[in-house]
Amino acid sequence: MEWSRAKRYKKFADWSQQEKDDLLNKIQHSPWRMDVHIQPKSGLLNDPNGFSYYNKKWHLFYQNYPMGPVHGLKAWYHLTSEDLTHWHEEGLSMIPDNEFDSHGCYSGSALPVGDKLFIMYTGNVRDENWERYPYQLGAWMNKDLRIEKIKRPLISSQPKNYTDHFRDPQVIHYNGAYYALIGAQNTQLEGEILLYKSTDLSSWTFWGPLAFAKQSLGFMIECPNLVFVDGVPLLIFCPQGLNKNVLDYQNIYPNVYLIGNHFDPDHAVFDSEQMINNLDEGFDVYATQAMNAPDGRALAVSWIGLPEIDYPTDQYGWAHCLSLVRELTIKDGNLYQNPVKETASLRTKHIHLQGQLHNQLTPIMHDCDRAYELDIELKGTGSGRLALADDGLNALDLLFDFDAGKLTLNRGHSGVQFAEAYGTTRTTTITRNGQINLHIFIDNSVAEIYVNHGRKVLTARFFPSDRQTQISLETNGHLDYNCDYWSLLNGKG
Ligand code: FRU
């Protein structure tokens, strides 16, 4: 099917019931749907938006083009939860319907204010010559989940010396004032984060480009987020076109973080002595949205998908998912990411496995569930392999080398291949002490791998056949394993 521009921007109301039914029917026949991850009901899912806690519930929205697996007219799809784990689909809640967001309700954030939820987002507008006009817009959601858009833009154009790449406001409340961090590109075609200030959420003043990095950060910064982890400021963002001398990465665009010393909004400074780092060392994480929850935790959720890449589910009319919600902590100056403790409420059947291997390959678990959690402690010598979704021929492999202190995720023979131009392996370092802890979530076509209690995370989509149901271990030395396995169910089925 040809996805012309006219088709991708056709109003949702102009799609026939037949076209919508055909799409849903196609999705119903898709392999690779997930059991516990948030996935689109139809079409394409991208960035998490408006992640917040309001009126005793967690709220999470995502960018959605509901008519197919392509980037088209974007809307916000809404979900609510009482435990950050079991999500209730509330449906499409903000769709492009006015002169300031006619070509997409783009990414943004939300903040509870009084008895309402304040939403700030980017309205994407194109004229007849396909010139772009970005507006930073506001909306209020009430307790009945009804969203009322504010009629007039909060920020009606980018400042002088910036291009039309100006989007993704994160609104925060800090030291008695409101601030918005907005992704931008200057006229020298460099990525920046712009800081805006407001005292009443309605009139916004450009406060300056945020000073936070010494190096140039590519041609555009998308999805900036500032959170505080036990008081330590942490900046998370997506620099597009980042020079690989600044940071090594293999994905088309990286999603990075920077730990700061302190945030000084008066002078638009985020002061840091650290280097930027990859937030996730796997294949598919982008557009992470982080926020400070009222219970004090810093929480993050990511789009598991990347721009400009085709995925095997496209042929079934849908694409991508969101990550589990992760809690961010900092220990000894290092960032840790772990699934929130509430994730344990998905556990059902438990199996404990333990054993020893000498220079051999052994299946340790047959007939795995579609969705499961594995917490495995490995101790040993030499190198080896943990094969997930294994059928003897194909597997998603985790190769560990205790001597070299390396861990490699290989999805090169894990099922249907895609995005091979960006490599089929990702490697990270581990301490060379002959042991490793891997906390793994497999949900049919997605893997989240938390290494050494969240010190590193590797996330990957992969597209196995239904014969790939085994977990195997291999070593060329000696290996002790001790592991807990739980099947996961979200209570829906
Ligand atoms: C990031 C992004 C954002 C934009 C949104 C549009 O993936 O490009 O910058 O707001 O997606 O869907």
Side-chain angles (χ1 to χ4, degrees):
M1 181 157 57
E2 187 52 44
W3 281 98
S4 64
R5 182 186 285 170
K7 190 164 169 179
R8 281 185 287 131
Y9 287 87
K10 185 162 111 177
K11 290 208 174 74
F12 300 154
D14 294 343
W15 287 83
S16 69
Q17 195 53 46
Q18 187 62 48
E19 285 169 313
K20 291 188 219 168
D21 291 348
D22 288 350
L23 179 60
L24 289 177
N25 190 36
K26 206 153 60 161
I27 295 167
Q28 245 184 19
H29 291 96
S30 173
W32 307 315
R33 294 290 280 172
M34 285 158 274
D35 288 2
V36 301
H37 281 73
I38 294 173
Q39 63 196 334
K41 234 180 147 61
S42 72
L44 181 138
L45 165 158
N46 59 307
D47 314 0
N49 292 159
F51 186 25
S52 51
Y53 186 79
Y54 162 69
N55 196 27
K56 304 196 181 71
K57 278 195 178 155
W58 301 97
H59 294 264
L60 181 55
F61 304 77
Y62 60 76
Q63 286 281 287
N64 185 207
Y65 175 61
M67 299 308 169
V70 294
H71 290 270
L73 194 57
K74 294 288 172 67
W76 281 38
Y77 192 97
H78 188 188
L79 301 117
T80 54
S81 172
E82 278 167 25
D83 63 2
L84 290 167
T85 303
H86 298 81
W87 291 95
H88 177 72
E89 292 179 330
E90 304 286 355
L92 274 183
S93 69
M94 276 214 299
I95 63 168
D97 60 4
N98 67 61
E99 60 182 311
F100 300 116
D101 65 13
S102 58
H103 290 70
C105 297
Y106 273 13
S107 286
S109 53
L111 191 70
V113 178
D115 63 353
K116 290 196 173 148
L117 186 71
F118 177 72
I119 292 173
M120 191 166 180
Y121 72 106
T122 300
N124 185 49
V125 172
R126 300 280 199 171
D127 68 11
E128 55 288 357
N129 303 316
W130 212 244
E131 297 272 335
R132 190 204 295 270
Y133 299 87
Y135 297 97
Q136 311 311 319
L137 307 175
W140 291 97
M141 188 178 83
N142 69 13
K143 291 186 177 165
D144 301 328
L145 310 186
R146 224 170 40 81
I147 294 182
E148 207 166 302
K149 291 179 182 171
I150 298 168
K151 296 261 163 347
R152 187 178 58 78
L154 303 175
I155 302 170
S156 53
S157 72
Q158 66 273 30
K160 201 165 146 262
N161 300 329
Y162 290 88
T163 75
D164 58 346
H165 286 288
F166 177 53
R167 55 181 176 266
D168 311 337
Q170 185 211 17
V171 58
I172 58 168
H173 192 229
Y174 187 79
N175 277 355
Y178 296 105
Y179 294 92
L181 283 82
I182 307 180
Q185 176 184 65
N186 66 28
T187 46
Q188 263 89 58
L189 307 187
E190 293 165 328
E192 290 192 19
I193 297 174
L194 304 187
L195 189 68
Y196 279 72
K197 184 174 182 180
S198 173
T199 50
D200 58 5
L201 293 171
S202 113
S203 119
W204 288 85
T205 310
F206 178 37
W207 212 247
L210 187 69
F212 65 98
K214 286 143 203 98
Q215 320 91 334
S216 168
L217 293 177
F219 61 80
M220 168 64 186
I221 291 182
E222 294 189 313
C223 303
N225 285 261
L226 172 64
V227 277
F228 296 87
V229 184
D230 281 331
V232 177
L234 172 73
L235 201 56
I236 296 177
F237 55 100
C238 300
Q240 298 188 307
L242 181 70
N243 190 317
K244 292 191 178 169
N245 295 329
V246 177
L247 176 73
D248 193 26
Y249 63 95
Q250 277 177 275
N251 293 352
I252 179 169
Y253 304 129
N255 194 170
V256 304
Y257 71 90
L258 181 63
I259 299 177
N261 293 334
H262 84 292
F263 171 55
D264 172 6
D266 287 342
H267 301 96
V269 170
F270 177 95
D271 171 36
S272 171
E273 275 140 30
Q274 296 222 9
M275 302 292 283
I276 59 171
N277 263 303
N278 287 306
L279 191 62
D280 191 287
E281 312 226 20
F283 294 91
D284 307 274
V285 156
Y286 197 70
T288 298
Q289 184 160 86
M291 64 108 171
N292 280 108
D295 59 17
R297 288 185 289 181
L299 303 177
V301 54
S302 304
W303 174 26
I304 304 183
L306 286 169
E308 297 168 43
I309 289 178
D310 296 329
Y311 280 70
T313 58
D314 293 357
Q315 59 174 308
Y316 294 100
W318 69 285
H320 312 308
C321 64
L322 295 184
S323 71
L324 299 172
V325 178
R326 298 167 176 179
E327 180 176 0
L328 308 176
T329 51
I330 293 178
K331 255 186 279 169
D332 302 325
N334 294 316
L335 180 70
Y336 286 75
Q337 305 173 67
N338 282 294
V340 289
K341 59 179 188 304
E342 292 90 331
T343 311
S345 68
L346 295 169
R347 292 173 179 169
T348 57
K349 184 183 70 193
H350 173 238
I351 298 171
H352 183 251
L353 303 161
Q354 182 170 6
Q356 294 191 336
L357 269 71
H358 293 279
N359 197 15
Q360 71 191 105
L361 164 66
T362 316
I364 58 166
M365 177 88 193
H366 298 277
D367 299 323
C368 291
D369 298 274
R370 284 167 49 92
Y372 64 87
E373 175 183 349
L374 195 69
D375 195 0
I376 184 162
E377 195 79 37
L378 299 170
K379 287 188 188 154
T381 58
S383 58
R385 177 168 78 105
L386 172 66
L388 302 158
D390 184 24
D391 67 0
L393 267 181
N394 301 296
L396 180 69
D397 277 335
L398 271 165
L399 305 145
F400 44 89
D401 187 330
F402 290 124
D403 301 328
K406 285 211 160 105
L407 177 73
T408 297
L409 177 62
N410 180 1
R411 71 174 177 191
H413 59 119
S414 61
V416 176
Q417 292 298 294
F418 66 108
E420 288 163 287
Y422 299 92
T424 54
T425 62
R426 295 289 185 270
T427 297
T428 188
T429 51
I430 50 172
T431 14
R432 280 195 235 166
N433 58 0
Q435 72 181 64
I436 184 170
N437 173 271
L438 298 167
H439 190 190
I440 297 170
F441 292 80
I442 299 286
D443 187 1
N444 195 19
S445 60
V446 62
E448 298 194 21
I449 299 156
Y450 299 85
V451 183
N452 289 336
H453 312 284
R455 178 68 189 90
K456 301 274 173 73
V457 190
L458 294 100
T459 302
R461 291 304 301 282
F462 69 109
F463 298 91
S465 78
D466 50 19
R467 292 181 307 278
Q468 293 176 239
T469 58
Q470 209 166 274
I471 303 173
S472 306
L473 265 178
E474 183 172 12
T475 175
N476 64 8
H478 170 84
L479 195 64
D480 274 342
Y481 66 93
N482 191 336
C483 142
D484 289 299
Y485 171 103
W486 293 270
S487 29
L488 301 179
L489 262 191
N490 70 359
K492 275 195 287 190

